[in-house]
């Protein structure tokens, strides 16, 4: 799996015409904190479509995560650190991870600027998998319908993510954090799909 850091390095790859994304890709965008069973279902969608189109699968993540940028110390704790997350995505068989720095400059991207710079000029995306509640752009005007309309003109398709429900409720990082806080490790690990552990420097 290849780790690409930032739009600058992505553009260098795309301009070379010989990189792993030279023919485009199938991509998804999100935090993927925990790479839990809900995320794993999304990754399966991406890999399935990538195999059909004979294209690489790409996951776009952010550092810091948007909530950390906006809320600072009040942001919820992570389930996985950056290195642990990348390794988990590697373990899921993803071809490339693009990590974008979420800073003030990135925050000011308009919805169209996000699509043009990242999806069209950067990734040359052919198929995109996102939730129907996905919002982006400085004015939050970018949504699933906007992506479908732009994609129809730019030559890429957009697919809704599948919601994974376990024991009557949607699998989410927020739900798993609460289970861990309540010391319900078995339930949390059931939703994660892996045995919870923390990795870091002592």
């Amino acid at each position: 799996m290849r780790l690409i850091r930032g739009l600058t390095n992505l553009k260098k790859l795309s301009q070379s015409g010989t990189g792993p994304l030279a023919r485009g890709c199938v991509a998804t965008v999100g935090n993927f904190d925990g790479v839990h069973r809900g995320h794993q279902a999304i990754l399966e969608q991406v890999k399935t479509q990538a195999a059909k189109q004979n294209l690489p699968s790409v996951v776009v993540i952010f550092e810091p995560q948007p909530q950390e940028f906006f809320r600072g110390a009040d942001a919820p704790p992570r389930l996985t650190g950056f290195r642990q997350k990348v390794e988990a995505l590697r373990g899921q068989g993803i071809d490339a991870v693009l990590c974008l720095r979420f800073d003030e400059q990135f925050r000011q991207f308009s919805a169209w600027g996000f699509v043009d710079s990242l999806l069209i000029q950067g990734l040359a995306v052919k198929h995109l998998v996102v939730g129907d509640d996905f919002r982006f752009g400085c004015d939050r005007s970018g949504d699933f319908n906007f992506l479908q309309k732009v994609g129809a003109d730019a030559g890429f398709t957009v697919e809704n993510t599948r919601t994974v429900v376990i024991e009557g409720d949607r699998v989410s990082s927020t739900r798993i954090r609460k289970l861990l806080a309540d010391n319900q490790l078995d339930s949390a690990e059931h939703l994660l799909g892996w045995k919870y552990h923390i990795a870091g420097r002592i």
Side-chain angles (χ1 to χ4, degrees):
M1 186 190 81
R2 182 158 192 168
L3 174 61
I4 306 165
R5 293 179 180 268
L7 277 176
T8 301
N9 288 326
L10 176 64
K11 287 176 181 176
K12 286 179 182 176
L13 279 176
S14 62
Q15 288 168 359
S16 71
T18 58
L21 309 180
R23 297 184 299 107
C25 67
V26 176
T28 186
V29 183
N31 288 322
F32 288 89
D33 186 26
V35 193
H36 54 61
R37 289 172 67 180
H39 294 144
Q40 292 164 28
I42 295 170
L43 298 176
E44 283 301 319
Q45 284 180 258
V46 172
K47 290 188 295 181
T48 297
Q49 194 60 233
K52 286 181 180 178
Q53 300 194 31
N54 193 27
L55 292 170
S57 55
V58 178
V59 174
V60 181
I61 59 175
F62 306 98
E63 282 292 326
Q65 294 179 161
Q67 283 200 67
E68 293 169 344
F69 175 83
F70 289 112
R71 296 176 58 183
D74 293 329
R78 294 192 183 200
L79 296 172
T80 46
F82 173 73
R83 185 184 298 273
Q84 194 177 4
K85 181 193 299 187
V86 169
E87 287 305 312
L89 292 169
R90 185 193 307 275
Q92 291 294 315
I94 293 299
D95 294 313
V97 170
L98 169 63
C99 179
L100 299 176
R101 180 168 179 77
F102 198 100
D103 54 15
E104 184 61 30
Q105 182 179 359
F106 189 86
R107 185 194 71 81
Q108 293 178 17
F109 260 126
S110 66
W112 167 247
F114 178 91
V115 172
D116 185 47
S117 295
L118 175 62
L119 302 182
I120 299 174
Q121 303 296 331
L123 291 171
V125 71
K126 303 302 181 188
H127 186 77
L128 182 67
V129 180
V130 292
D132 57 10
D133 59 349
F134 180 60
R135 302 300 291 261
F136 59 96
C138 62
D139 50 5
R140 290 181 61 80
S141 63
D143 58 14
F144 189 80
N145 291 332
F146 176 82
L147 286 169
Q148 285 187 312
K149 291 175 183 175
V150 173
D153 293 330
F156 66 86
T157 51
V158 185
E159 177 183 359
N160 190 8
T161 58
R162 300 178 194 136
T163 299
V164 175
V165 174
I166 295 178
E167 296 174 358
D169 202 357
R170 175 176 169 268
V171 178
S172 69
S173 300
T174 300
R175 182 183 173 191
I176 294 168
R177 277 190 209 98
K178 186 175 187 313
L179 288 171
L180 290 172
D182 293 342
N183 204 29
Q184 298 184 46
L185 295 181
D186 289 344
S187 296
E189 289 168 3
H190 180 55
L191 301 188
L192 283 165
W194 50 274
K195 194 166 187 64
Y196 184 72
H197 58 279
I198 298 171
R201 182 175 296 175
I202 299 175

